[in-house]
Amino acid sequence: MGRRIAVFGTGYLGATHAACMAELGHEVLGVDVDEAKLAKLAAGELPFYEPGLPAVLRRNLNSGSLRFTTSYEEAADFANVHFIAVGTPQKHGELAADLRYVDAVIESLAPLLTRPAAILGKSTVPAGTAARLAARMRSLAPASEQVELAWNPEFLREGFAVADTLHPDRIVLGLESGRGAYAEAAAREVYATQLTADTPFLVTDLATAELVKTAANAFLATKISFINSIAEVCEATGADVSMLADAIGHDARIGRRFLNAGIGFGGGCLPKDIRAFIAMAGELGAGQAFSLLREVDGINMRRRNKMVDLAREAAGGSFIGTRIGVLGAAFKPDSDDVRDSPALNIAGQIQLQGAAVTVYDPQAMDNARQLFPTLQYAQDVPTACTGVDVVLILTEWQQFVGLDPGELGTLVRSRSVIDGRNCLDPRAWREAGWKYRGIGRP
Ligand code: UGA
């Protein structure tokens, strides 16, 4: 028998979590304040691109195990497990995370809780947030002594959201000190399928659970900036960072994954999470420890300027009067997300320096157009590259990796390509008469 679950927030995280919980056999109510978004979801449409998720959404809508509502009353009445899955964006003009949406869920939900329930937070929050929310919940909830708040961070990757939710590497559950039996039992029932499959289940205190998520993203960001600084040394010495990464990656302690040098990380998570981490550490008086993450952020942002410099060089020293074809706008392949996308940042900078930039992306065109309406957009690769002086590969979509350099060469004005993701085969492009330039590659 499944549990009755409410999921607050139906963005990337919430919509995926709600649909996947229904897929696991639970009865799920997705809750949001955005009626237009809910109407779309209820009609089986996702407001973002995520492979595999539409099928899961539709299947569970049709079976009746997944519904959507704006009503907190309905949710409080229906469910006894409440997931918080709202966003925690970067505050305007500050490094810290904006917690207003998380706070709003507690303010609206807690006064309606009149019987035992578990609130499981999934959003990425600074350490200390859950304890504060638990105290606030207790001052508002009529059944406050029978309601438990726990933190259950989410590690899903865009593009793999369904698989990461159904088959996570681990499940982390942070409990309030001196309480938590109800929340832990609820979580064990919610994740029964994963636990039967021997998924590691780590029960911690609240602060540890909050920090696990932030530390994981900080480590991933550090790994990318590390290899990107090695790429700078490779450039200076004529070494090849891709082969170097293969070689050091064979050491199991290092590992090859997340060691791809290029234009660096972007998206709605890694950049804002390391900044929130820096802000939090500063507030707690542990700021010095995080000069490391400032450097990680700095190295990452420098990659974008470096790419602009390489493109300018390839265009003959100045962008004025040149045409640049940009392949890729999403922050990574298999996503239509352009939040803090290195690709769009670079395209925008080049355009502002006088080039005519044409962008193509297989999925992110609408989002890119909204964020950067002044760039030119083409409906396919050939249109984006016709008559250009330089082609830039900024997102490693399979479609770009598989391009035929000979064919593309007949369209451009000059056979010059810069591979911002080191995803092309340099030999094949050079053999087809291209001037190939990678990142940290000779
Ligand atoms: C990231 C984490 O990987 C997830 O575990 C986490 O749950 C999620 O953030 C989150 O906090 O919600 P995601 O933002 O989907 O997931 O993207 P990643 O796959 O981590 O890629 C982030 C960026 O790093 C992309 O711009 C990608 O192009 C870049 N990257 C990745 C590299 O530059 N090199 C690499 O080797 C790997």
Side-chain angles (χ1 to χ4, degrees), residues 14 17 35 39 43 51 83 86 88 130 170 220 233 237 250 278 283 286 288 328 348-349 353 383 406 412:
H17 193 67
E35 283 188 37
F83 281 102
V86 292
T88 52
R170 74 296 208 187
L220 293 171
V233 180
T237 56
H250 280 297
I278 295 167
E283 275 169 30
Q288 231 178 351
Q349 287 195 57
Q353 293 182 29
T383 319
V412 297

Side-chain angles (χ1 to χ4, degrees), residues 124 154-159 213 217 220 224 227-228 257-270 273 331-333 342 396 421:
T124 301
E154 179 55 57
F155 304 100
L156 69 79
R157 298 160 298 167
E158 295 188 11
K213 171 58 194 258
N217 275 1
L220 293 171
I224 299 170
I227 199 68
N228 278 331
R257 294 170 73 190
F258 253 71
L259 268 191
N260 295 323
I263 56 175
F265 60 81
C269 299
L270 258 44
D273 286 353
F331 83 108
K332 67 172 188 180
E396 67 277 36
R421 295 293 186 178

Side-chain angles (χ1 to χ4, degrees), residues 287-346:
Q288 231 178 351
F290 283 96
S291 55
L292 170 69
L293 288 183
R294 282 185 191 281
E295 201 50 44
V296 165
D297 198 2
I299 291 166
N300 191 55
M301 297 310 277
R302 278 210 299 278
R303 304 313 296 170
R304 304 177 181 189
N305 303 338
K306 167 81 182 175
M307 184 70 192
V308 175
D309 292 343
L310 285 177
R312 192 188 307 99
E313 210 176 282
S318 161
F319 284 122
I320 295 166
T322 64
R323 288 188 188 190
I324 310 290
V326 167
L327 301 185
F331 83 108
K332 67 172 188 180
D334 297 316
S335 165
D336 66 355
D337 198 340
V338 297
R339 284 177 294 170
D340 201 358
S341 168
L344 271 190
N345 177 309
I346 289 161

Side-chain angles (χ1 to χ4, degrees), residues 86-91 96-99 101-102 123-126 268 272-273 276:
V86 292
T88 52
Q90 188 177 340
K91 269 189 193 163
D98 185 347
L99 298 173
Y101 306 110
V102 172
S123 310
T124 301
V125 294
K272 74 140 171 97
D273 286 353

Side-chain angles (χ1 to χ4, degrees), residues 371-387:
L371 195 67
F372 267 99
T374 52
L375 289 166
Q376 189 84 18
Y377 294 92
Q379 78 273 21
D380 51 28
V381 174
T383 319
C385 295
T386 298

